[in-house]
Amino acid sequence: MTENGTSKDFYDDDKHLMKLCDFLRSTEGPPVREAIEMDKRVYYIKGEKLVNFMVEPKKGTKWPKELPKFKTRQDAIATCKELCSRQFMHRSEKVAKGELEVSRVRDFDESAYFTWIYEGNKKFSHLMTTCLIIGFLCCTCFPIWPNFLKVFVWYMSVSLLIFIFFLITFRATIFLFVWIIGYECWFLPNLFDETLGFCESFVPVISIEKTKEGQLMYRIGVFVAFSSFCYWAVTQPSEFDGFKQGQVDFIKDLYAGTLLSDMSQKDKDNIDKLKMPSLEDLLKKLDSEDEEEKELSEEEAAEALLDSLVEDEEDIEDDEE
Protein backbone atom coordinates (compact mmCIF):
# COMPACT_ATOMS: atom_id res chain seq x y z
CA MET A 1 0.00 0.00 0.00
CA THR A 2 1.04 3.65 -0.48
CA GLU A 3 1.11 6.26 2.24
CA ASN A 4 -2.10 8.02 1.12
CA GLY A 5 -4.17 5.20 -0.38
CA THR A 6 -4.39 1.66 -1.64
CA SER A 7 -2.40 0.02 -4.41
CA LYS A 8 -5.47 0.37 -6.65
CA ASP A 9 -5.25 4.15 -6.42
CA PHE A 10 -1.53 3.99 -7.22
CA TYR A 11 -2.10 1.98 -10.39
CA ASP A 12 -4.73 4.39 -11.74
CA ASP A 13 -1.83 6.23 -13.37
CA ASP A 14 -0.80 4.91 -16.82
CA LYS A 15 2.90 5.35 -16.02
CA HIS A 16 2.58 3.19 -12.94
CA LEU A 17 0.64 0.60 -14.90
CA MET A 18 3.42 0.52 -17.52
CA LYS A 19 6.00 -0.11 -14.79
CA LEU A 20 3.84 -2.93 -13.43
CA CYS A 21 3.55 -4.43 -16.93
CA ASP A 22 7.32 -4.17 -17.41
CA PHE A 23 7.73 -6.22 -14.23
CA LEU A 24 5.04 -8.75 -15.13
CA ARG A 25 6.51 -9.26 -18.62
CA SER A 26 10.08 -9.67 -17.29
CA THR A 27 11.73 -12.93 -16.28
CA GLU A 28 10.67 -12.24 -12.68
CA GLY A 29 7.02 -12.19 -13.70
CA PRO A 30 4.54 -15.07 -13.90
CA PRO A 31 5.16 -17.80 -16.51
CA VAL A 32 3.32 -17.34 -19.80
CA ARG A 33 2.52 -19.62 -22.74
CA GLU A 34 2.95 -19.09 -26.45
CA ALA A 35 0.19 -19.41 -29.02
CA ILE A 36 -0.88 -18.17 -32.45
CA GLU A 37 -3.55 -15.50 -32.66
CA MET A 38 -4.49 -13.77 -35.92
CA ASP A 39 -1.42 -15.33 -37.60
CA LYS A 40 0.87 -13.78 -34.99
CA ARG A 41 2.79 -15.35 -32.13
CA VAL A 42 1.47 -14.08 -28.79
CA TYR A 43 1.93 -14.72 -25.08
CA TYR A 44 -1.05 -15.47 -22.87
CA ILE A 45 -1.80 -16.32 -19.24
CA LYS A 46 -4.82 -17.47 -17.30
CA GLY A 47 -6.48 -14.77 -15.21
CA GLU A 48 -6.37 -16.81 -12.01
CA LYS A 49 -2.60 -17.37 -12.26
CA LEU A 50 -2.02 -13.68 -12.89
CA VAL A 51 -4.05 -12.67 -9.83
CA ASN A 52 -2.35 -15.31 -7.67
CA PHE A 53 1.06 -14.02 -8.67
CA MET A 54 0.13 -10.41 -7.97
CA VAL A 55 -1.18 -11.27 -4.51
CA GLU A 56 1.40 -13.91 -3.58
CA PRO A 57 4.49 -13.81 -5.85
CA LYS A 58 6.47 -17.00 -6.21
CA LYS A 59 9.28 -17.57 -3.75
CA GLY A 60 12.46 -15.69 -4.65
CA THR A 61 10.70 -13.05 -6.75
CA LYS A 62 12.27 -9.59 -6.45
CA TRP A 63 9.31 -7.23 -6.38
CA PRO A 64 10.29 -3.69 -7.50
CA LYS A 65 10.65 -1.31 -4.58
CA GLU A 66 8.90 1.53 -6.40
CA LEU A 67 5.75 -0.58 -6.90
CA PRO A 68 3.44 -1.24 -3.95
CA LYS A 69 2.37 -4.84 -3.38
CA PHE A 70 -1.23 -5.97 -3.48
CA LYS A 71 -2.60 -6.72 -0.05
CA THR A 72 -6.00 -8.04 -1.10
CA ARG A 73 -7.26 -10.11 -3.98
CA GLN A 74 -9.87 -7.47 -4.80
CA ASP A 75 -7.16 -4.86 -5.44
CA ALA A 76 -5.32 -7.23 -7.79
CA ILE A 77 -8.54 -8.00 -9.72
CA ALA A 78 -9.35 -4.29 -9.98
CA THR A 79 -5.89 -3.61 -11.40
CA CYS A 80 -6.29 -6.46 -13.89
CA LYS A 81 -9.56 -4.87 -15.03
CA GLU A 82 -7.67 -1.63 -15.59
CA LEU A 83 -5.08 -3.51 -17.67
CA CYS A 84 -7.88 -4.83 -19.88
CA SER A 85 -9.77 -1.54 -20.17
CA ARG A 86 -6.59 0.37 -21.11
CA GLN A 87 -5.62 -2.34 -23.62
CA PHE A 88 -2.47 -3.60 -21.99
CA MET A 89 -4.00 -7.05 -22.49
CA HIS A 90 -7.17 -8.49 -23.98
CA ARG A 91 -9.34 -11.52 -23.36
CA SER A 92 -8.91 -14.52 -25.65
CA GLU A 93 -10.53 -17.88 -26.24
CA LYS A 94 -8.91 -21.20 -27.16
CA VAL A 95 -10.01 -22.59 -30.52
CA ALA A 96 -7.40 -25.37 -30.86
CA LYS A 97 -4.13 -26.51 -29.37
CA GLY A 98 -1.76 -23.56 -29.56
CA GLU A 99 -4.35 -21.32 -31.26
CA LEU A 100 -6.34 -18.42 -29.80
CA GLU A 101 -8.89 -15.92 -31.04
CA VAL A 102 -9.94 -12.56 -29.65
CA SER A 103 -12.94 -12.89 -27.36
CA ARG A 104 -15.98 -10.67 -27.78
CA VAL A 105 -16.20 -10.41 -24.00
CA ARG A 106 -13.94 -7.67 -22.65
CA ASP A 107 -14.43 -8.04 -18.88
CA PHE A 108 -11.77 -9.61 -16.70
CA ASP A 109 -12.51 -13.08 -15.38
CA GLU A 110 -10.15 -15.32 -13.45
CA SER A 111 -11.27 -18.38 -15.40
CA ALA A 112 -10.53 -16.81 -18.79
CA TYR A 113 -7.30 -16.45 -20.77
CA PHE A 114 -5.67 -13.09 -21.45
CA THR A 115 -3.17 -12.20 -24.16
CA TRP A 116 -0.55 -9.53 -23.63
CA ILE A 117 -0.74 -6.54 -25.97
CA TYR A 118 1.87 -4.49 -24.15
CA GLU A 119 5.34 -5.32 -25.48
CA GLY A 120 7.39 -3.12 -23.18
CA ASN A 121 10.22 -0.81 -24.07
CA LYS A 122 11.15 -1.30 -27.74
CA LYS A 123 14.49 0.57 -27.61
CA PHE A 124 16.50 -2.64 -27.40
CA SER A 125 14.50 -4.20 -30.24
CA HIS A 126 15.04 -1.13 -32.43
CA LEU A 127 18.76 -1.16 -31.57
CA MET A 128 19.08 -4.82 -32.57
CA THR A 129 17.19 -4.17 -35.81
CA THR A 130 19.55 -1.30 -36.64
CA CYS A 131 22.57 -3.51 -35.91
CA LEU A 132 21.09 -6.23 -38.14
CA ILE A 133 20.66 -3.79 -41.05
CA ILE A 134 24.19 -2.41 -40.60
CA GLY A 135 25.59 -5.94 -40.42
CA PHE A 136 23.75 -6.91 -43.61
CA LEU A 137 25.12 -3.84 -45.44
CA CYS A 138 28.64 -4.66 -44.23
CA CYS A 139 28.31 -8.22 -45.53
CA THR A 140 27.17 -7.01 -48.95
CA CYS A 141 30.24 -4.74 -49.10
CA PHE A 142 32.60 -7.63 -48.33
CA PRO A 143 34.41 -7.44 -51.74
CA ILE A 144 35.69 -3.93 -50.94
CA TRP A 145 36.81 -4.70 -47.40
CA PRO A 146 40.49 -4.22 -46.56
CA ASN A 147 42.53 -7.39 -46.83
CA PHE A 148 43.28 -7.56 -43.08
CA LEU A 149 39.54 -7.53 -42.27
CA LYS A 150 38.92 -10.36 -44.74
CA VAL A 151 41.67 -12.39 -43.10
CA PHE A 152 40.24 -11.63 -39.64
CA VAL A 153 36.72 -12.75 -40.65
CA TRP A 154 38.15 -15.91 -42.21
CA TYR A 155 40.07 -16.83 -39.04
CA MET A 156 37.02 -16.10 -36.86
CA SER A 157 34.75 -18.22 -39.06
CA VAL A 158 37.17 -21.15 -39.09
CA SER A 159 37.73 -20.91 -35.33
CA LEU A 160 33.98 -20.88 -34.67
CA LEU A 161 33.48 -23.88 -36.97
CA ILE A 162 36.21 -25.87 -35.24
CA PHE A 163 34.90 -24.89 -31.78
CA ILE A 164 31.37 -26.06 -32.62
CA PHE A 165 32.72 -29.33 -34.06
CA PHE A 166 34.79 -30.12 -30.97
CA LEU A 167 31.93 -29.07 -28.65
CA ILE A 168 29.55 -31.50 -30.36
CA THR A 169 32.21 -34.22 -30.27
CA PHE A 170 32.86 -33.57 -26.57
CA ARG A 171 29.13 -33.75 -25.73
CA ALA A 172 28.73 -36.99 -27.70
CA THR A 173 31.79 -38.57 -26.06
CA ILE A 174 30.58 -37.83 -22.54
CA PHE A 175 27.13 -39.16 -23.39
CA LEU A 176 28.63 -42.35 -24.87
CA PHE A 177 30.84 -43.12 -21.87
CA VAL A 178 28.05 -42.58 -19.33
CA TRP A 179 25.36 -44.23 -21.48
CA ILE A 180 27.37 -47.48 -21.58
CA ILE A 181 27.10 -47.79 -17.79
CA GLY A 182 23.33 -47.16 -17.81
CA TYR A 183 22.83 -43.38 -17.53
CA GLU A 184 22.12 -40.55 -19.98
CA CYS A 185 24.41 -37.61 -19.29
CA TRP A 186 24.27 -34.49 -21.45
CA PHE A 187 26.56 -31.51 -21.20
CA LEU A 188 24.41 -28.40 -21.91
CA PRO A 189 21.31 -30.45 -22.76
CA ASN A 190 19.32 -27.42 -24.00
CA LEU A 191 22.08 -26.03 -26.21
CA PHE A 192 20.25 -26.72 -29.49
CA ASP A 193 16.69 -26.16 -28.24
CA GLU A 194 15.27 -23.52 -30.60
CA THR A 195 12.27 -22.81 -28.33
CA LEU A 196 14.47 -21.37 -25.56
CA GLY A 197 16.23 -18.04 -25.30
CA PHE A 198 19.98 -17.51 -25.45
CA CYS A 199 20.64 -17.60 -21.70
CA GLU A 200 18.14 -20.43 -21.09
CA SER A 201 20.00 -22.61 -23.62
CA PHE A 202 22.95 -22.88 -21.21
CA VAL A 203 20.84 -24.01 -18.23
CA PRO A 204 21.33 -26.58 -16.76
CA VAL A 205 24.98 -27.26 -17.38
CA ILE A 206 24.68 -31.05 -16.93
CA SER A 207 21.67 -33.38 -16.80
CA ILE A 208 21.84 -37.03 -15.71
CA GLU A 209 19.00 -39.51 -16.04
CA LYS A 210 18.80 -43.29 -15.85
CA THR A 211 18.42 -44.99 -19.24
CA LYS A 212 15.20 -46.71 -20.21
CA GLU A 213 14.86 -50.47 -19.83
CA GLY A 214 15.63 -52.71 -22.78
CA GLN A 215 18.84 -50.96 -23.92
CA LEU A 216 21.32 -53.38 -22.37
CA MET A 217 22.15 -55.18 -25.63
CA TYR A 218 22.65 -51.87 -27.44
CA ARG A 219 25.01 -50.65 -24.71
CA ILE A 220 27.00 -53.90 -24.89
CA GLY A 221 27.25 -53.61 -28.69
CA VAL A 222 28.48 -50.01 -28.51
CA PHE A 223 30.98 -50.98 -25.81
CA VAL A 224 32.38 -53.79 -27.99
CA ALA A 225 32.63 -51.48 -31.01
CA PHE A 226 34.36 -48.75 -29.01
CA SER A 227 36.76 -51.26 -27.43
CA SER A 228 37.61 -52.59 -30.90
CA PHE A 229 38.41 -49.09 -32.09
CA CYS A 230 40.66 -48.45 -29.08
CA TYR A 231 42.45 -51.77 -29.71
CA TRP A 232 43.01 -50.84 -33.37
CA ALA A 233 44.35 -47.40 -32.39
CA VAL A 234 46.85 -48.98 -29.97
CA THR A 235 47.99 -51.90 -32.13
CA GLN A 236 48.17 -49.92 -35.40
CA PRO A 237 49.93 -46.71 -34.35
CA SER A 238 51.22 -45.91 -37.83
CA GLU A 239 47.74 -45.88 -39.40
CA PHE A 240 46.23 -43.97 -36.47
CA ASP A 241 49.08 -41.46 -36.52
CA GLY A 242 48.48 -40.94 -40.23
CA PHE A 243 44.79 -40.33 -39.54
CA LYS A 244 45.65 -37.84 -36.80
CA GLN A 245 48.21 -36.07 -38.98
CA GLY A 246 45.60 -35.81 -41.72
CA GLN A 247 43.27 -33.96 -39.34
CA VAL A 248 46.07 -31.59 -38.32
CA ASP A 249 46.89 -30.86 -41.97
CA PHE A 250 43.19 -30.31 -42.65
CA ILE A 251 42.98 -27.65 -39.91
CA LYS A 252 46.18 -25.99 -41.14
CA ASP A 253 44.78 -25.82 -44.67
CA LEU A 254 41.58 -24.29 -43.32
CA TYR A 255 43.44 -21.48 -41.56
CA ALA A 256 45.79 -20.96 -44.51
CA GLY A 257 42.88 -20.79 -46.94
CA THR A 258 44.41 -23.42 -49.25
CA LEU A 259 41.95 -26.26 -48.72
CA LEU A 260 39.93 -25.60 -51.88
CA SER A 261 42.13 -23.00 -53.49
CA ASP A 262 42.12 -22.73 -57.29
CA MET A 263 43.95 -19.39 -57.48
CA SER A 264 47.61 -18.53 -57.53
CA GLN A 265 49.11 -16.55 -54.66
CA LYS A 266 49.64 -13.61 -57.01
CA ASP A 267 45.94 -13.58 -57.87
CA LYS A 268 45.06 -13.68 -54.16
CA ASP A 269 47.33 -10.73 -53.38
CA ASN A 270 45.89 -8.70 -56.25
CA ILE A 271 42.27 -9.70 -55.76
CA ASP A 272 41.25 -6.16 -54.71
CA LYS A 273 43.20 -4.38 -57.45
CA LEU A 274 41.73 -3.28 -60.75
CA LYS A 275 42.85 -5.56 -63.55
CA MET A 276 44.44 -3.21 -66.14
CA PRO A 277 46.14 -4.64 -69.24
CA SER A 278 49.92 -4.25 -69.29
CA LEU A 279 51.94 -2.74 -72.15
CA GLU A 280 53.01 -6.20 -73.24
CA ASP A 281 49.40 -7.34 -73.45
CA LEU A 282 48.47 -4.28 -75.51
CA LEU A 283 51.37 -4.89 -77.97
CA LYS A 284 50.37 -8.52 -78.36
CA LYS A 285 46.82 -7.45 -79.09
CA LEU A 286 48.01 -4.98 -81.75
CA ASP A 287 50.24 -7.62 -83.36
CA SER A 288 47.37 -10.08 -83.51
CA GLU A 289 45.17 -7.44 -85.16
CA ASP A 290 47.89 -6.70 -87.76
CA GLU A 291 48.24 -10.39 -88.55
CA GLU A 292 44.49 -10.67 -89.04
CA GLU A 293 44.56 -7.70 -91.43
CA LYS A 294 47.44 -9.26 -93.39
CA GLU A 295 45.54 -12.52 -93.69
CA LEU A 296 42.50 -10.66 -94.96
CA SER A 297 44.58 -8.72 -97.52
CA GLU A 298 46.15 -11.95 -98.83
CA GLU A 299 42.72 -13.50 -99.23
CA GLU A 300 41.48 -10.47 -101.09
CA ALA A 301 44.53 -10.59 -103.44
CA ALA A 302 43.93 -14.27 -104.20
CA GLU A 303 40.27 -13.56 -104.97
CA ALA A 304 41.26 -10.68 -107.31
CA LEU A 305 43.78 -12.90 -109.14
CA LEU A 306 41.17 -15.60 -109.55
CA ASP A 307 38.68 -13.09 -110.92
CA SER A 308 41.24 -11.76 -113.46
CA LEU A 309 42.05 -15.27 -114.67
CA VAL A 310 38.35 -15.98 -115.18
CA GLU A 311 37.94 -12.75 -117.15
CA ASP A 312 40.99 -13.54 -119.38
CA GLU A 313 39.62 -16.98 -120.13
CA GLU A 314 36.29 -15.50 -121.14
CA ASP A 315 38.04 -13.00 -123.45
CA ILE A 316 39.98 -15.78 -125.18
CA GLU A 317 36.80 -17.77 -125.76
CA ASP A 318 35.16 -14.68 -127.29
CA ASP A 319 38.13 -14.16 -129.69
CA GLU A 320 38.00 -17.77 -130.87
CA GLU A 321 34.31 -17.43 -131.71
Side-chain angles (χ1 to χ4, degrees), residues 31-256:
V32 294
R33 296 182 179 181
E34 293 185 10
I36 301 297
E37 185 179 78
M38 300 178 64
D39 297 330
K40 182 181 178 181
R41 185 175 297 276
V42 295
Y43 299 92
Y44 71 97
I45 186 174
K46 193 172 184 179
E48 183 181 2
K49 292 184 178 180
L50 179 60
V51 174
N52 292 339
F53 178 85
M54 294 169 67
V55 177
E56 297 180 5
K58 59 184 179 180
K59 187 177 181 180
T61 301
K62 297 180 181 179
W63 192 278
K65 295 180 180 179
E66 65 273 13
L67 298 179
K69 294 184 178 181
F70 297 91
K71 295 299 181 68
T72 64
R73 196 173 187 85
Q74 288 72 21
D75 288 345
I77 293 176
T79 302
C80 290
K81 291 181 178 179
E82 289 294 326
L83 292 176
C84 292
S85 63
R86 303 188 190 187
Q87 297 185 353
F88 286 94
M89 60 170 53
H90 67 78
R91 187 167 175 172
S92 300
E93 294 180 0
K94 283 189 174 182
V95 295
K97 185 177 180 180
E99 294 185 13
L100 301 175
E101 67 177 9
V102 180
S103 175
R104 295 183 179 181
V105 182
R106 304 298 182 184
D107 296 336
F108 181 83
D109 189 346
E110 293 188 48
S111 62
Y113 296 96
F114 294 87
T115 301
W116 282 105
I117 301 176
Y118 179 74
E119 297 182 352
N121 193 340
K122 304 296 291 183
K123 290 183 179 179
F124 180 75
S125 178
H126 295 331
L127 176 62
M128 295 302 295
T129 303
T130 303
C131 293
L132 180 63
I133 295 174
I134 294 175
F136 176 77
L137 293 176
C138 291
C139 291
T140 57
C141 296
F142 182 79
I144 62 175
W145 283 19
N147 191 50
F148 74 92
L149 281 180
K150 293 181 179 180
V151 174
F152 174 76
V153 171
W154 173 256
Y155 282 171
M156 287 293 295
S157 303
V158 172
S159 299
L160 179 61
L161 177 65
I162 294 175
F163 173 75
I164 293 176
F165 173 76
F166 279 104
L167 177 61
I168 295 175
T169 305
F170 178 72
R171 293 175 75 244
T173 303
I174 292 180
F175 174 81
L176 180 64
F177 286 159
V178 181
W179 180 71
I180 289 176
I181 62 177
Y183 291 90
E184 294 182 358
C185 177
W186 281 110
F187 175 70
L188 299 177
N190 297 324
L191 183 61
F192 299 107
D193 192 342
E194 298 179 354
T195 61
L196 300 178
F198 177 78
C199 297
E200 296 173 348
S201 299
F202 297 93
V203 178
V205 179
I206 296 178
S207 67
I208 301 178
E209 297 179 358
K210 189 175 181 59
T211 58
K212 298 179 180 180
E213 297 181 359
Q215 297 183 356
L216 179 60
M217 297 303 298
Y218 296 103
R219 298 203 306 269
I220 294 176
V222 172
F223 175 75
V224 172
F226 182 74
S227 301
S228 301
F229 172 77
C230 294
Y231 176 79
W232 170 80
V234 173
T235 57
Q236 303 292 333
S238 58
E239 296 183 11
F240 185 75
D241 291 343
F243 172 77
K244 183 173 66 175
Q245 185 62 36
Q247 305 307 312
V248 174
D249 294 339
F250 175 78
I251 295 176
K252 288 182 179 179
D253 290 339
L254 273 180
Y255 276 102

